[in-house]
């Protein structure tokens, strides 16, 4: 029986077609004793994610979620076996261009999936635009990626920083909060999330009395927590994630502030972190495009499968990785596995609609998810659904000249 050659070189359209028809023709010319059954050539996916540092668990869960989807499809998407190559971006913006160039230039990946950190994502978007590399962002919310820097080859399966925080402004005002302090890391995600919250909150009639921040990824919160105690606001709105979120929530409770100044935030404050935060997380309310107990079939089967694969409870990061693979599958299925047919791949991905574990998911003209944003509260050791804070929320995509 003849064998097709597995190549790790990226495929253009012609080589992809050669992988099947060409191999058959070659088999006929050399009179192989049995007909060749050509395997489609693999598609190379480059993960550029944090596998170390404060966001390490987030990167790992995105990776696991993506692989889970591929495994459920038997290891192929649209008929193409998937190969992986990983780069640890360490959430360091200063290394991001080199890391991206390594994946695109040296590894010659067909698509890059990454990353978590908004500052790293900004550099990735620039390289993707310059090299016309397909980029799927499975977390970083930096508004520009699907705003002024939007492009047909840049997709996001997560959220924009604006999208998940603006709805919290009205929620907190409606709960009677009038004077609020914000606290975050001083970098794109923190500033944009706090800015979006403030936009919604001031529109509703509330006032942000002080904006506190510290450099990413510092976790010396004590001075800022003391400042909150002095200011005595009605509530605090916070963005931290990963290891930093664990420490902040524990420090806040250790200072006793959780008893007097209610803590709210972007959902990352408590997603994937509750086991480490313990009782300190109880009662924290956040907005996000996911809640652990969403009562839909996709979420139930996702959580069961993720637990079986990893032994851990799935969270939003795992969902975003899972959906990144589903989005790629939509593009590949539409072209019968021809990733080189880029215009058709991109059109099919933009038109994709699926029942995600997060609920209904579709994509805007700027290639950003259109999705529900949920108000959740930490109860019983999980982020439980309280209400839908925004139905089918779409990022305004400010500055994006909409794709055709
Ligand atoms: C960001 O940098 O965009 C980000 C990081 C962690 C969680 C959410 C957003």
């Amino acid at each position: 029986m003849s064998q097709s050659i597995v190549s790790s070189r990226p495929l253009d359209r012609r080589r992809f077609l050669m992988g099947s028809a060409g191999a058959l023709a070659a088999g006929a010319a050399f009179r192989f004793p049995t007909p060749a059954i050509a395997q489609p050539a693999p598609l190379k996916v480059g993960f550029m994610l944090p596998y170390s540092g404060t966001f390490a668990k987030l990167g790992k869960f995105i990776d696991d979620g993506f692989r889970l989807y591929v495994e459920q499809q038997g290891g192929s998407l649209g008929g193409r076996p998937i190969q992986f190559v990983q780069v640890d971006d360490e959430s360091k913006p200063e290394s991001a261009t080199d890391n991206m160039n390594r994946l695109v230039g040296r590894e010659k990946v067909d698509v890059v999936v990454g990353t978590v950190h908004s500052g790293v994502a900004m550099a990735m978007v620039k390289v993707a635009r310059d090299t016309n590399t397909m980029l799927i962002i499975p977390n970083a919310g930096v508004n520009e990626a699907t705003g002024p820097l939007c492009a047909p080859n840049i997709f996001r399966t997560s959220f924009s920083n604006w999208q998940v925080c603006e709805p919290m402004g009205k929620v907190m005002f409606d709960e009677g909060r009038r004077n609020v302090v914000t606290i975050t890391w001083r970098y794109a995600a923190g500033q944009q999330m706090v800015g979006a919250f403030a936009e919604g909150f001031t529109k509703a009639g509330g006032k942000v009395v002080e904006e506190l921040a510290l450099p990413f990824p510092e976790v010396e919160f004590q001075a800022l927590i003391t400042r909150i105690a002095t200011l005595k606001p009605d509530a605090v709105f916070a963005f931290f994630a990963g290891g930093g979120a664990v420490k902040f929530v524990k420090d806040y409770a250790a200072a006793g502030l959780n008893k007097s100044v209610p803590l709210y935030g972007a959902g990352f404050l408590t997603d994937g972190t509750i086991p480490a935060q313990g009782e300190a997380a109880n009662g924290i309310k956040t907005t996000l495009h996911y809640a652990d107990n969403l009562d839909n079939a996709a979420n139930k089967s996702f959580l069961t499968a993720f637990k079986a694969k990893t032994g851990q409870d799935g969270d939003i990061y795992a969902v975003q990785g899972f959906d990144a693979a589903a989005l790629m599958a939509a593009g590949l299925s539409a072209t019968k596995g021809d990733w080189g047919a880029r215009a058709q791949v991109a059109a099919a991905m933009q038109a994709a609609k699926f029942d995600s574990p997060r609920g209904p998911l579709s994509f805007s003209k700027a290639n950003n998810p259109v999705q529900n944003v949920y108000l959740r509260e930490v109860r019983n050791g999980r982020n439980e659904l309280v209400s839908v804070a925004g139905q089918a929320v779409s990022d305004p995509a400010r500055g994006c000249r909409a794709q055709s």
Side-chain angles (χ1 to χ4, degrees):
M1 181 139 148
S2 71
Q3 289 178 337
S4 61
I5 296 165
V6 175
S7 165
S8 62
R9 275 194 299 145
L11 291 178
D12 58 23
R13 182 179 169 84
R14 190 170 156 271
R15 285 186 59 229
F16 164 70
L17 294 171
M18 284 288 291
S20 48
L24 280 170
F30 289 103
R31 294 180 195 284
F32 282 103
T34 51
I37 303 173
Q39 296 298 310
L43 195 92
K44 200 167 177 185
V45 174
F47 284 140
M48 184 164 150
L49 292 167
Y51 294 100
S52 60
T54 200
F55 290 160
K57 184 180 173 203
L58 288 56
K60 178 72 170 67
F61 270 44
I62 290 168
D63 181 320
D64 284 338
F66 194 104
R67 286 178 199 260
L68 172 63
Y69 186 92
V70 174
E71 282 164 26
Q72 288 180 343
Q73 311 306 310
S76 300
L77 300 181
R80 298 285 296 276
I82 302 298
Q83 277 185 351
F84 296 102
V85 47
Q86 294 160 292
V87 166
D88 178 5
D89 69 34
E90 304 170 87
S91 296
K92 287 190 177 155
E94 63 275 21
S95 314
T97 303
D98 283 351
N99 282 331
M100 185 73 175
N101 282 332
R102 187 173 133 203
L103 284 174
V104 174
R106 192 174 345 141
E107 297 289 347
K108 304 205 182 312
V109 299
D110 294 293
V111 53
V112 176
V113 175
T115 190
V116 168
H117 183 286
S118 276
V120 176
M122 274 299 277
M124 296 174 74
V125 163
K126 285 176 189 152
V127 175
R129 286 170 62 97
D130 288 350
T131 58
N132 195 26
T133 301
M134 187 66 96
L135 172 64
I136 302 178
I137 302 172
N139 185 72
V142 65
N143 293 335
E144 285 83 348
T146 52
L149 297 179
C150 73
N153 58 316
I154 296 169
F155 283 81
R156 180 147 55 189
T157 57
S158 50
F159 58 91
S160 75
N161 290 327
W162 181 92
Q163 196 174 23
V164 287
C165 293
E166 196 272 347
M168 186 50 120
K170 182 167 166 14
V171 167
M172 284 179 67
F173 188 84
D174 289 349
E175 293 198 354
R177 316 300 174 195
R178 294 294 179 268
N179 298 305
V180 165
V181 167
T182 63
I183 181 164
T184 187
W185 280 310
R186 194 178 299 113
Y187 83 106
Q191 285 158 334
Q192 292 182 350
M193 288 198 210
V194 159
F197 159 72
E199 185 183 319
F201 189 55
T202 51
K203 196 166 117 199
K207 188 168 175 218
V208 174
V209 291
E210 196 151 309
E211 295 184 358
L212 303 174
L214 74 171
F216 175 87
E218 281 183 20
V219 291
E220 290 311 318
F221 299 116
Q222 213 44 60
L224 300 179
I225 286 176
T226 303
R227 178 73 186 144
I228 293 169
T230 307
L231 288 166
K232 296 191 178 55
D234 296 339
V236 166
F237 173 87
F239 163 71
F240 295 106
V246 171
K247 172 118 185 347
F248 176 72
V249 165
K250 289 175 94 169
D251 286 2
Y252 196 84
L257 272 186
N258 58 339
K259 303 276 185 299
S260 54
V261 184
L263 181 57
Y264 294 74
F268 314 103
L269 193 61
T270 53
D271 228 80
T273 52
I274 297 173
Q277 289 163 334
E279 293 200 348
N282 284 345
I284 297 177
K285 287 187 184 163
T286 60
T287 44
L288 202 69
H289 46 301
Y290 186 60
D292 294 323
N293 62 335
L294 283 182
D295 189 14
N296 68 62
N299 192 35
K300 285 179 188 155
S301 78
F302 166 77
L303 288 174
T304 304
F306 192 83
K307 184 96 178 183
K309 175 178 164 58
T310 66
Q312 305 209 57
D313 293 324
D315 61 11
I316 187 55
Y317 307 106
V319 169
Q320 292 168 167
F322 187 79
D323 288 343
L327 182 63
M328 262 186 74
L332 281 162
S333 302
T335 58
K336 299 194 170 46
D338 185 359
W339 191 247
R342 283 285 289 278
Q344 290 150 268
V345 166
M349 284 168 60
Q350 190 178 87
K353 286 186 180 22
F354 39 91
D355 292 325
S356 161
R358 72 185 85 177
L361 176 62
S362 60
F363 294 85
S364 70
K365 289 267 183 250
N367 297 338
N368 194 62
V370 178
Q371 55 196 341
N372 295 338
V373 173
Y374 306 100
L375 175 64
R376 313 104 50 82
E377 181 173 351
V378 179
R379 300 176 196 140
N380 307 310
R382 58 186 191 168
N383 290 290
E384 291 195 348
L385 176 69
V386 174
S387 60
V388 179
Q391 188 101 37
V393 180
S394 190
D395 179 85
R398 293 167 184 148
C400 172
R401 282 190 276 142
Q403 333 260 306
S404 55

